[in-house]
């Protein structure tokens, strides 16, 4: 097997674990309630929320440090931390310890995400970068979409603890392979140490905003708690923006944000992630509450989308390499929006083949096209010395989008008097609007072509000489 494909396999396995744990716990919530009867549903919701908030807040600092200290080193540390957190989750005797262990998991995942693509992209020539991103993205998309179905199967088979312990089965062989295959890459001209205060401002700001969005359905949009948390998050991020313009080594370099293709693509990815994650949860609720499917049947019904996304990944990569990212991201939003509109017409009586399967295939195609399209656009003109930082920013925005999408869905569903079919139809219409909005953002990308940018531009678009190095295949620790 060619070296680049080994790197793709190793990094994709780690990404699969990290993103699988965003959604795999959803189906296990009833089992957790039975295991910890003294904990309220609000308390147990932090098994989900702690992972999402810490994951989103830690991504960019982890990516910044990886570019400086070495992407391989931070990647391996992230995998080890994630596996330790997974074992602690699976053995947790109390809900509080489970939530704490989920935070440890999230820190590991935050180190895995930016470093994985940062290690992968230098292995592929520029003209094949879209293929690499499409295959890497497909792994994450399939993992996130397959989380509820796999979680349901594991809970039915061995109970909720195996929702976490399964990571050891996947991750330990992957860790051994990563040590052997990956080679170190880093920026050899990193300059001053990244702004520690800026990292704290970023983590606090993203965490506060994510918390406000997560608790919106409980607090209400007019409550002091929601407004205060939102104001704190916004104030921290504004302070970060001001500080970043003055600090010699900001945690987010303003020059990166000024790369138009990167900024527009990340906006599209955020919008699509919000729609996609809202749909994943909406599908579970629709199938279980309206069509009355059990957890195993629900899991089986949800596999059509991930299978479609995985099958289309090689084709999407070739299309992106040939025609550019807009030609991929634009139809992705349209596919997704059309699939959601089909579900908005689904009847109350279950008919999987006629009323769910066609929509699921279209939605899987939408994910297969949109995420890689926006990912290709984001890094087509991005300096290779900041790949880990760029992936961290993109992943952070996707995670914020995921939190926002779920919060909007819960608000829409709670707006109805019950879980009637009409309420779900309205939710699917809102989700479809998100997909169509993502297509509109893709349209504004313009003509983006991948090129090798050596370094962060000091001012304007002109790149400086290269400063990124690659060490040997198994050393550099």
């Amino acid at each position: 097997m060619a070296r680049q494909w080994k790197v793709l396999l190793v990094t994709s396995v780690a990404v699969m674990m990290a993103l699988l744990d965003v959604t795999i716990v959803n189906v296990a919530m009833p089992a957790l309630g039975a295991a910890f009867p003294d904990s309220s549903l609000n308390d147990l919701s932090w098994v989900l929320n702690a992972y999402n908030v810490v994951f989103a807040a830690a991504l960019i600092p982890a990516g910044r440090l990886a570019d400086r200290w070495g992407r391989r080193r931070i990647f391996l540390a992230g995998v080890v931390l994630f596996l330790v957190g997974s074992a602690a989750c699976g053995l947790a005797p109390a809900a509080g310890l489970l939530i704490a262990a989920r935070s440890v998991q999230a820190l590991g995942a935050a180190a895995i995400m930016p470093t994985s693509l940062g290690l992968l992209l230098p292995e592929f020539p520029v003209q094949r970068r879209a293929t690499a991103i499409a295959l890497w993205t497909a792994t994450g998309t399939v993992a996130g979409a397959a989380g509820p179905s796999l979680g349901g199967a594991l809970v039915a088979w061995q109970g909720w603890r195996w929702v976490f312990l399964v990571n050891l089965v996947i991750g330990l062989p992957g860790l051994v392979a990563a040590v052997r295959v990956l080679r170190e890459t880093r920026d050899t001209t990193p300059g001053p140490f990244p702004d520690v205060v800026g990292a704290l401002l970023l983590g606090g700001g993203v965490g506060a905003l994510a918390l406000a969005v997560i608790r919106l359905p409980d607090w209400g949009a007019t409550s002091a708690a929601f407004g205060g948390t939102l104001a704190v998050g916004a104030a921290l991020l504004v302070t970060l923006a001001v500080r970043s313009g003055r600090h010699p080594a900001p945690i987010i370099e303003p020059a990166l944000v000024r790369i138009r293709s990167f900024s527009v693509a990340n906006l599209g990815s955020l919008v699509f992630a919000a729609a996609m994650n809202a749909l994943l949860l909406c599908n579970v609720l629709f199938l279980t509450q309206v069509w009355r499917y059990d957890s195993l049947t629900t899991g089986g019904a949800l596999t059509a989308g991930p299978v479609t996304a995985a099958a289309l990944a090689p084709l999407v990569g070739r299309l992106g390499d040939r025609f550019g990212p807009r030609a991929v991201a634009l139809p992705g939003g349209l596919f997704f929006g059309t699939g959601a509109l089909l579900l908005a017409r689904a009847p109350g009586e279950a008919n999987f083949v006629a009323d769910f399967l066609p929509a699921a295939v279209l939605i899987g195609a939408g994910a297969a096209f949109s995420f890689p399209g926006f990912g290709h656009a984001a890094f087509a003109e991005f300096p290779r010395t900041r790949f880990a930082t760029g992936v961290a920013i993109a992943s952070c925005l996707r995670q914020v989008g995921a939190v926002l999408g779920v919060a909007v869905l819960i608000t829409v569903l709670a707006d109805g008097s019950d879980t009637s079919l009409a309420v779900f139809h309205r939710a699917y219409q809102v989700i479809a609007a998100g997909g169509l909005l993502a297509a509109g953002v893709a349209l504004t990308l313009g003509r983006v072509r991948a090129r090798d940018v050596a370094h962060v531009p000091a001012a304007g678009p002109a790149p400086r000489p290269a400063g990124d190095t690659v060490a040997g295949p198994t050393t550099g620790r």
Side-chain angles (χ1 to χ4, degrees):
M1 183 187 296
R3 172 180 169 73
Q4 57 188 204
W5 299 108
K6 292 180 181 178
V7 175
L8 174 63
L9 178 61
V10 166
T11 54
S12 296
V13 166
V15 169
M16 180 182 70
M17 288 194 308
L19 293 182
L20 191 65
D21 270 62
V22 174
T23 59
I24 194 173
V25 186
N26 290 357
V27 180
M29 291 302 288
L32 290 174
F36 305 115
D38 293 335
S39 299
S40 67
L41 180 60
N42 186 53
D43 293 335
L44 290 176
S45 70
W46 282 99
V47 176
L48 303 174
N49 295 341
Y51 189 90
N52 290 330
V53 171
V54 175
F55 188 20
L59 274 163
I60 296 175
R64 194 76 171 90
L65 291 177
D67 282 329
R68 182 184 183 90
W69 287 346
R71 295 157 195 151
R72 178 183 185 271
R73 177 179 298 170
I74 300 299
F75 177 87
L76 295 177
V79 173
V80 170
L81 192 60
F82 186 86
L83 294 178
V84 169
S86 297
C89 286
L91 300 174
L97 292 176
L98 175 58
I99 293 168
R102 283 284 279 173
S103 299
V104 174
Q105 264 193 319
L107 289 173
I112 289 170
M113 286 299 296
T115 52
S116 59
L117 193 57
L119 288 164
L120 177 63
L121 288 180
E123 300 288 343
F124 283 78
V126 172
Q127 61 271 23
R128 298 190 63 197
R129 195 170 285 171
T131 296
I133 292 174
L135 295 174
W136 180 87
T137 305
T139 302
T141 301
V142 170
S149 55
L150 179 58
L154 289 171
V155 170
W157 175 51
Q158 288 290 334
W160 67 267
R161 295 185 185 276
W162 271 93
V163 167
F164 305 106
L165 295 177
V166 70
N167 290 322
L168 302 180
V169 179
I170 300 171
L172 287 174
L175 178 62
V176 173
V179 171
R180 296 175 59 88
V181 170
L182 298 179
R183 55 186 176 185
E184 190 62 281
T185 67
R186 61 168 63 87
D187 182 4
T188 58
T189 57
F193 192 82
D195 181 16
V196 176
V197 175
L200 295 176
L201 289 171
L202 174 66
V206 171
L209 291 181
L211 175 61
V213 171
I214 287 170
R215 298 304 303 273
L216 174 60
D218 298 324
W219 287 344
T222 59
S223 68
F226 174 74
T229 306
L230 198 66
V232 168
L236 290 174
L237 293 180
V238 169
T239 304
L240 171 65
V242 174
R243 183 179 178 86
S244 296
R246 300 172 179 173
H247 197 277
I251 198 71
I252 300 179
E253 295 158 289
L256 300 181
V257 181
R258 288 195 295 266
I259 301 173
R260 184 182 180 278
S261 56
F262 181 72
S263 297
V264 174
N266 280 321
L267 173 61
S269 185
L270 183 151
V271 172
F272 190 83
M276 184 71 189
N277 282 271
L279 180 125
L280 292 176
L281 180 57
C282 192
N283 278 348
V284 171
L285 297 176
F286 176 79
L287 292 173
T288 56
Q289 295 181 6
V290 178
W291 282 8
R292 303 296 179 184
Y293 281 4
D294 59 28
S295 60
L296 283 178
T297 307
T298 298
L302 295 174
T303 59
V307 168
T308 301
L312 288 175
L315 171 63
V316 170
R318 290 194 295 270
L319 291 174
D321 283 329
R322 182 172 181 180
F323 299 107
R326 181 174 60 177
V328 174
L330 175 58
L334 298 177
F335 289 149
F336 180 91
T338 302
L341 287 176
L342 289 179
L343 290 175
R345 301 178 58 191
E349 296 296 324
N351 189 337
F352 173 76
V353 174
D355 297 315
F356 194 88
L357 181 59
V361 170
L362 281 170
I363 288 164
F369 276 72
S370 289
F371 280 133
F374 287 125
H376 181 197
F379 295 99
E381 301 169 338
F382 200 80
R384 65 173 182 266
T385 55
R386 293 293 187 272
F387 273 157
T389 300
V391 178
I393 295 172
S395 299
C396 178
L397 291 174
R398 274 185 61 172
Q399 190 62 21
V400 170
V403 172
L404 177 62
V406 171
V408 170
L409 173 68
I410 293 174
T411 301
V412 172
L413 293 179
D415 194 40
S417 58
D418 52 29
T419 54
S420 67
L421 185 61
V423 174
F424 280 97
H425 283 175
R426 183 163 62 250
Y428 281 124
Q429 289 168 0
V430 172
I431 291 168
L436 297 177
L437 179 59
V441 175
L443 192 62
T444 69
L445 277 171
R447 187 174 179 83
V448 178
R449 288 292 184 181
R451 59 190 181 92
D452 189 21
V453 179
H455 212 289
V456 180
R464 295 199 300 242
D468 207 38
T469 62
V470 179
T474 59
T475 60
R477 283 171 279 182

